[in-house]
Amino acid sequence: MDTLDSLRTRKKAATRQSLHEAALRLAMERGLDGVTVEDIADEVGVSRRTFSNYFANKEDAVLHADRERTRELVSLLEARPAAEEPWQALRAACGELYRDRVIPDREWVAQLRLLRRHPSLLAQQAADQMALERDLAAVLMARGRGIDEESAHLMAATFLAAVRVGSVRWLEGSATRSLHDLVDDLLGRVHLR
């Protein structure tokens, strides 16, 4: 990749991140229903068309960081050693994801709180979780450990449920441990083969 392509890629990533941050900030200030795509574009100093080059709607802009984390989780799982058992690979990938983050990530906490209040975001998050389950199951099957499709989906769904429970308990302040420790403990309580 030449320097010009690298510069363009970085500029696009910066614009996408700026739109996401503006969407999240405005939604937190005004409520999701009080924010338009035009508001977000104006906040960043870009056109509505530019916004549309990056996101389909304001919900997509708000959920951007969550989607980036899920892509990172899938990549981390793909990179785990092939000899590792599927559940251990999921647990280790999750540990890497959380271990590399400063907790609490204020933006993430704000997003989770926002998600819990807005049905349109909850619906998109549910769709994203189903896609993540499908992606994780595909990686588990591709790892060549003899796991069938149903088992891979069950394992991925169980994994995501444990992560969700840990995240909600941590978010609500009912846990005195770090998010990483709480989620890892919950994942350690599950015994799948």
Side-chain angles (χ1 to χ4, degrees), residues 2 4-5 7 14 21 46 53 89 108 123 131 172 185:
D2 68 8
L4 189 56
D5 286 341
L7 180 62
E21 289 170 2
V46 300
N53 289 336
W108 186 64
E172 291 175 346
D185 178 55

Side-chain angles (χ1 to χ4, degrees), residues 19-32:
L19 288 166
H20 160 67
E21 289 170 2
L24 192 56
R25 184 176 55 257
L26 291 172
M28 291 305 298
E29 290 171 7
R30 305 178 190 172
L32 187 63

Side-chain angles (χ1 to χ4, degrees), residues 81-126:
E84 210 167 36
E85 290 295 326
W87 186 255
Q88 185 55 38
L90 280 167
R91 189 174 173 188
C94 184
E96 285 182 60
L97 181 69
Y98 286 139
R99 205 173 10 258
D100 292 342
R101 300 215 181 296
V102 175
I103 301 295
D105 177 336
R106 298 175 78 176
E107 178 184 342
W108 186 64
V109 170
Q111 183 180 4
L112 285 174
R113 287 185 178 139
L114 186 66
L115 286 171
R116 294 176 67 140
R117 291 195 308 257
H118 294 284
S120 65
L121 287 175
L122 287 171
Q124 288 215 354
Q125 185 187 35

Side-chain angles (χ1 to χ4, degrees), residues 15 28 40 76 126 130 163 171 173 180:
T15 300
M28 291 305 298
I40 299 165
L76 289 167
M130 290 177 68
V163 170
L171 177 65
H180 170 267

Side-chain angles (χ1 to χ4, degrees), residues 1-12:
M1 181 182 289
D2 68 8
T3 305
L4 189 56
D5 286 341
S6 177
L7 180 62
R8 283 185 190 128
T9 300
R10 286 194 312 269
K11 185 177 179 188
K12 285 182 179 183

